[in-house]
Amino acid sequence: MLEATSPSAQLVPLVALFYPQPTKLGLFSHCTSEECPSAYRAMLDHEKHMTVTVERRHNDSVDVEVLACAQNETHYMRKILLRRQTDRRVVLFGIVRLALNALQPEVRDEILSQGIPLGRVLITHDVLRQVQLNALWRVACGADLAEWFGIPAGSITYGRTAMIYCDEKPAVELLEIVAPEEE
């Protein structure tokens, strides 16, 4: 059983939402900020929305592509890609679990429409939010990540788990994995 304070306490349940065999997504190892290469650290080791961060990094707006989603009485879950608008290159993979009662109906409905990245919806609606970084991860890409990022399986990239608090309530659990840095 995982301790509540373990970095994996957030990672394992998020991956399991869409991956009964987690290795299809990747092999994860916890890393400290100092162990994370500087380009990845700049992308991941902060408490800001990844939508804004990847748009700034790539000097391009991004679109969301929902690969899979599920919903129950309390939560909406989705597996997504963020793609640059100019060339459609995938710059981020993510898994999101959203507490449905944590957001105003119009904000929740816009997220459920699946047409706009989550961070952009929260920013546009001026939702009072705080992003709390949970852990940084070194990721050896499994078959799915390798295909989306256009790289060989086993290639290394980095990601993070985080929680977004909306109006001071825990609202969104996130796994975000950035595409490997271009050489």
Side-chain angles (χ1 to χ4, degrees):
M1 195 72 182
L2 294 170
E3 299 274 331
T5 57
S6 162
S8 297
Q10 189 179 28
L11 174 71
V12 172
L14 283 171
V15 172
L17 291 172
F18 295 101
Y19 288 93
Q21 299 191 339
T23 55
K24 188 170 181 192
L25 181 61
L27 297 174
F28 294 82
S29 55
H30 180 254
C31 66
T32 65
S33 182
E34 295 75 28
E35 294 167 330
C36 191
S38 62
Y40 294 99
R41 188 170 48 247
M43 291 280 293
L44 297 163
D45 190 11
H46 57 79
E47 295 186 342
K48 300 177 184 130
H49 285 286
M50 285 301 289
T51 304
V52 173
T53 302
V54 296
E55 287 179 339
R56 199 170 285 142
R57 176 72 177 187
H58 293 277
N59 197 29
D60 195 1
S61 295
V62 295
D63 292 322
V64 66
E65 177 183 341
V66 177
L67 301 169
C69 65
Q71 188 172 333
N72 60 31
E73 309 78 45
T74 59
H75 289 85
Y76 166 69
M77 293 81 53
R78 70 184 185 188
K79 175 171 76 166
I80 63 102
L81 301 175
L82 292 183
R83 292 182 178 272
R84 290 192 302 216
Q85 287 184 352
T86 53
D87 62 5
R88 310 306 300 154
R89 180 176 177 263
V90 174
V91 295
L92 181 132
F93 166 84
I95 294 176
V96 175
R97 180 171 33 205
L98 167 75
L100 292 170
N101 66 353
L103 297 170
Q104 296 297 319
E106 63 275 4
V107 176
R108 184 181 58 240
D109 291 347
E110 192 163 346
I111 292 167
L112 294 175
S113 75
Q114 303 182 358
I116 300 171
L118 173 72
R120 180 75 51 227
V121 173
L122 296 176
I123 292 165
T124 300
H125 286 274
D126 200 26
V127 174
L128 177 63
R129 63 210 173 276
Q130 176 192 5
V131 180
Q132 181 181 20
L133 177 65
N134 172 264
L136 297 173
W137 300 96
R138 181 181 184 271
V139 183
C141 295
D144 282 1
L145 282 176
E147 181 180 339
W148 294 317
F149 292 153
I151 56 173
S155 296
I156 302 300
T157 192
Y158 292 81
R160 74 178 189 171
T161 47
M163 174 73 78
I164 299 176
Y165 290 82
C166 295
D167 299 320
E168 301 181 6
K169 295 182 281 191
V172 185
E173 296 171 87
L174 303 164
L175 166 63
E176 299 165 313
I177 302 169
V178 294
E181 285 293 302
E182 297 171 318
E183 298 295 321

